Amino acid sequence: MSAVLDDKHGHAGDHAHDDHGHHGPTGWRRWVYATNHKDIGTLYLLFAFTMLMVGGVLALLIRAELFQPGLQLVNPELFNQLTTMHGLIMVFGAIMPAFVGFANWMIPLQIGASDMAFARMNNFSFWLMIPAALMLVSSFFMPGGAPAAGWTLYAPLTLQMGPSMDAGIFAMHILGASSIMGSINIIVTILNMRAPGMTLMKMPMFAWTWLITAYLLIAVMPVLAGAITMTLTDRHFGTSFFNPAGGGDPVMYQHIFWFFGHPEVYIMILPAFGIVSQIVPAFARKKLFGYASMVYATSSIAILSFIVWAHHMFTTGMPVTGQLFFMYATMLISVPTAVKIFNWIATMWRGSMTFETPMLFAVGFIFVFTMGGFTGLILAMAPIDIQLQDTYYVVAHFHYVLVAGSLFSMFAGVYYWLPKWTGHMYSETRGQIHFWGSLITFNVTFFPMHFLGLAGMPRRYADYPMQFADFNAIASVGAFGFGLMQVYFFLAVVLPAMMGKGPAAPAKPWDGAEGLEWEVPSPAPFHTFETPPKLDATATRVIG
């Protein structure tokens, strides 16, 4: 990120007309008016980390309340607001913007493009997120408090909320518009701006996963917009889409929401697969096993994600035929996911592996994500799911997929590319402390929740009977440890690198790393690939 804090690479002589030569804005204007993909990527990543901290504080309030039975800190109304806002902030404020930050930083470097296709739209799509995030967080201070309908915003609860619900809906619309603009930008960049010689089937896996993710986003964000707009008209304009009193159907909301929500789950994991597919071959010092099958598996996951939405709804009175269809479709989607895991393991098999921090996080990702995948397969079985619906087993499952999935892959990506971003190596010891601390505290937090769910503890309850006390206490202690590890990560790893501490990074700090991003100096110059690079036959090296 300090390539970004240091503009010595601007080419003023050739590009006096450019917004970002030596004549470009400096100081705060440089960031507010940023059109350079590296600056915007940095802004996205810093924004996402800030929101991760905000969402994390809400999570720790939830865990502090659940540390022991009885009401300790918050009343049940505020507890429901915390669970709702924690979910919304983490999904729309932390995970999605972070992956867009990675895309902004890395895709032009990986495909040999000079920048993103629509530089000013890129700036706009980032700055839309700030007012949306402020509106979401400020809803706590509105009459009646923040929305308390769960992050899924189910009717009829949403029809009974105070004015903060309208602010939440507006914020979601703005965030959705930002996502769609970012996706259009990524698709046009990848399809139109690859260096000559880089065919689609020679692109890095990270670019592939983002291309597919961007299509998913464009397909489903308008569906969410439709669902929350119908909620808004039910609240204020006398319609009855979801209001049974006027002939509406609350279950219809669930269908529309999950038609968005299930592809959304893959929107949050496919870029993670891409990052891990870059890192595993680099540290195994081998080519990625089955590149083509990885591309086809990613595409299959994206297509199948549209036909599995109602596995979230087995308890809504669905006919048995419907249950069977969604059960089999959900089990089917585990096949391409298993192909990916097999390919990563096959890549590592008999490789010359070393375990620097990026590889630790990548292997940690594969291990814990696989556990989350297995619990998902269990929840796909309708008879079992009917027992486990809305219990802590579900909470454990999706945190294994989203925290140990999305978040661990992002940490892997940060450690892997941080030398390229900042020009400085991080402290390997601190990185290892962060990895082991995160892995252990994560499992201490979420593994006991499987047992809580199997024992019947429902989620989103502020209080619980005595038999659930021990596992809840363990989970709460783990959660505070996990939160502290992420503060440590920022203060001990990211901040020193951004401030230029640590040894200077070579252009290619990792032996086995391949790809165009390792062909440019570290830190990556402010302008890269102003003329398209000439590539070798593998499209991973620049000739001349």
Side-chain angles (χ1 to χ4, degrees):
M1 293 175 202
S2 85
V4 286
L5 303 176
D6 179 317
D7 201 350
K8 63 180 181 285
H9 299 284
H11 299 283
D14 334 340
H15 284 268
H17 64 280
D18 210 332
D19 278 351
H20 284 296
H22 284 302
H23 303 291
T26 53
W28 62 267
R29 283 185 181 80
R30 169 180 174 185
W31 298 98
V32 174
Y33 302 146
T35 50
N36 182 286
H37 72 98
K38 301 178 184 76
D39 281 359
I40 293 173
T42 301
L43 288 170
Y44 265 111
L45 289 166
L46 291 173
F47 169 81
F49 188 81
T50 306
M51 295 309 281
L52 183 77
M53 291 293 103
V54 174
V57 168
L58 302 184
L60 294 183
L61 284 169
I62 293 167
R63 286 312 324 167
E65 175 55 55
L66 293 173
F67 180 65
Q68 59 188 51
L71 294 177
Q72 331 295 329
L73 302 171
V74 299
N75 60 31
E77 290 78 21
L78 180 56
F79 186 86
N80 284 345
Q81 294 169 30
L82 292 173
T83 52
T84 302
M85 296 305 291
H86 165 69
L88 289 174
I89 286 168
M90 287 304 201
V91 170
F92 296 104
I95 292 179
M96 289 170 70
F99 279 136
V100 177
F102 277 105
N104 265 295
W105 243 107
M106 298 318 304
I107 286 175
L109 286 179
Q110 289 190 329
I111 64 173
S114 55
D115 207 304
M116 296 295 278
F118 304 115
R120 285 190 176 82
M121 185 166 87
N122 207 8
N123 174 290
F124 186 48
S125 62
F126 170 74
W127 285 109
L128 275 179
M129 305 197 75
I130 305 297
L134 290 172
M135 206 180 311
L136 262 184
V137 176
S138 66
S139 64
F140 276 108
F141 307 103
M142 293 176 188
W151 84 276
T152 51
L153 304 176
Y154 274 4
L157 279 171
T158 43
L159 309 181
Q160 300 156 11
M161 295 282 136
S164 64
M165 191 69 230
D166 304 319
I169 287 172
F170 190 35
M172 304 284 284
H173 272 299
I174 298 172
L175 291 168
S178 167
S179 290
I180 289 170
M181 282 192 279
S183 302
I184 291 169
N185 215 343
I186 288 165
I187 290 171
V188 175
T189 304
I190 291 174
L191 294 185
N192 288 354
M193 296 179 69
R194 299 192 307 282
M198 180 170 283
T199 60
L200 282 175
M201 291 309 278
K202 286 180 182 170
M203 280 198 317
M205 270 311 298
F206 180 66
W208 254 118
T209 53
W210 243 117
L211 178 64
I212 292 165
T213 303
Y215 276 114
L216 275 181
L217 271 164
I218 289 172
V220 300
M221 287 314 284
V223 178
L224 174 68
I228 57 180
T229 305
M230 288 150 91
T231 303
L232 194 69
T233 60
D234 272 11
R235 285 169 56 81
H236 297 291
F237 300 110
T239 57
S240 292
F241 291 111
F242 312 129
N243 187 353
D249 183 4
V251 176
M252 181 170 78
Y253 176 86
Q254 297 189 26
H255 278 292
I256 300 169
F257 179 86
W258 285 116
F259 189 78
F260 146 80
H262 207 80
E264 166 69 16
V265 172
Y266 292 100
I267 286 164
M268 292 189 283
I269 203 68
L270 289 182
F273 292 163
I275 292 173
V276 172
S277 301
Q278 301 291 125
I279 293 171
V280 169
F283 292 92
R285 290 159 183 79
K286 279 173 65 185
K287 288 268 185 226
L288 180 66
F289 180 89
Y291 173 92
S293 66
M294 285 293 245
V295 172
Y296 298 137
T298 310
S299 311
S300 311
I301 290 170
I303 293 160
L304 289 171
S305 73
F306 283 98
I307 60 161
V308 298
W309 77 89
H311 66 214
H312 297 268
M313 299 171 56
F314 284 143
T315 54
T316 55
M318 190 187 302
V320 174
T321 323
Q323 291 186 356
L324 282 172
F325 170 79
F326 285 107
M327 183 166 92
Y328 291 139
T330 306
M331 290 159 72
L332 185 65
I333 207 169
S334 64
V335 175
T337 312
V339 167
K340 289 180 157 306
I341 291 167
F342 170 79
N343 284 12
W344 291 323
I345 293 169
T347 306
M348 291 189 269
W349 179 252
R350 304 187 74 171
S352 309
M353 299 227 291
T354 52
F355 290 95
E356 288 89 343
T357 314
M359 186 60 163
L360 280 179
F361 268 107
V363 174
F365 163 90
I366 294 168
F367 171 65
V368 195
F369 174 79
T370 304
M371 287 174 60
F374 278 131
T375 55
L377 201 52
I378 290 165
L379 289 168
M381 316 276 179
I384 302 177
D385 182 80
I386 286 165
Q387 299 299 315
L388 296 175
Q389 167 80 9
D390 260 339
T391 67
Y392 265 77
Y393 193 90
V394 178
V395 177
H397 156 68
F398 69 72
H399 282 88
Y400 264 79
V401 174
L402 284 180
V403 181
S406 302
L407 199 63
F408 276 22
S409 74
M410 285 182 214
F411 290 143
V414 169
Y415 284 105
Y416 185 56
W417 284 310
L418 198 64
K420 182 58 62 189
W421 294 344
T422 64
H424 293 275
M425 297 301 290
Y426 59 88
S427 156
E428 188 60 41
T429 312
R430 291 174 183 178
Q432 305 242 350
I433 291 169
H434 176 226
F435 169 72
W436 290 109
S438 294
L439 185 74
I440 292 164
T441 54
F442 168 79
N443 281 292
V444 169
T445 306
F446 293 104
F447 199 72
M449 292 186 190
H450 293 104
F451 301 115
L452 286 170
L454 288 166
M457 179 170 168
R459 62 179 178 170
R460 298 183 187 161
Y461 277 39
D463 193 7
Y464 53 86
M466 200 64 212
Q467 70 258 35
F468 301 133
D470 293 350
F471 278 152
N472 268 303
I474 293 168
S476 291
V477 170
F480 276 86
F482 187 74
L484 286 171
M485 288 316 301
Q486 307 334 312
V487 176
Y488 173 81
F489 162 69
F490 187 75
L491 296 179
V493 178
V494 176
L495 216 52
M498 286 176 73
M499 292 163 70
K501 294 178 178 162
K508 186 173 161 184
W510 317 115
D511 285 352
E514 283 200 338
L516 299 187
E517 71 259 44
W518 308 112
E519 299 280 311
V520 299
S522 299
F526 197 69
H527 295 285
T528 41
F529 303 127
E530 291 178 341
T531 53
K534 292 187 173 63
L535 306 183
D536 67 358
T538 63
T540 57
R541 289 205 175 83
V542 179
I543 305 168

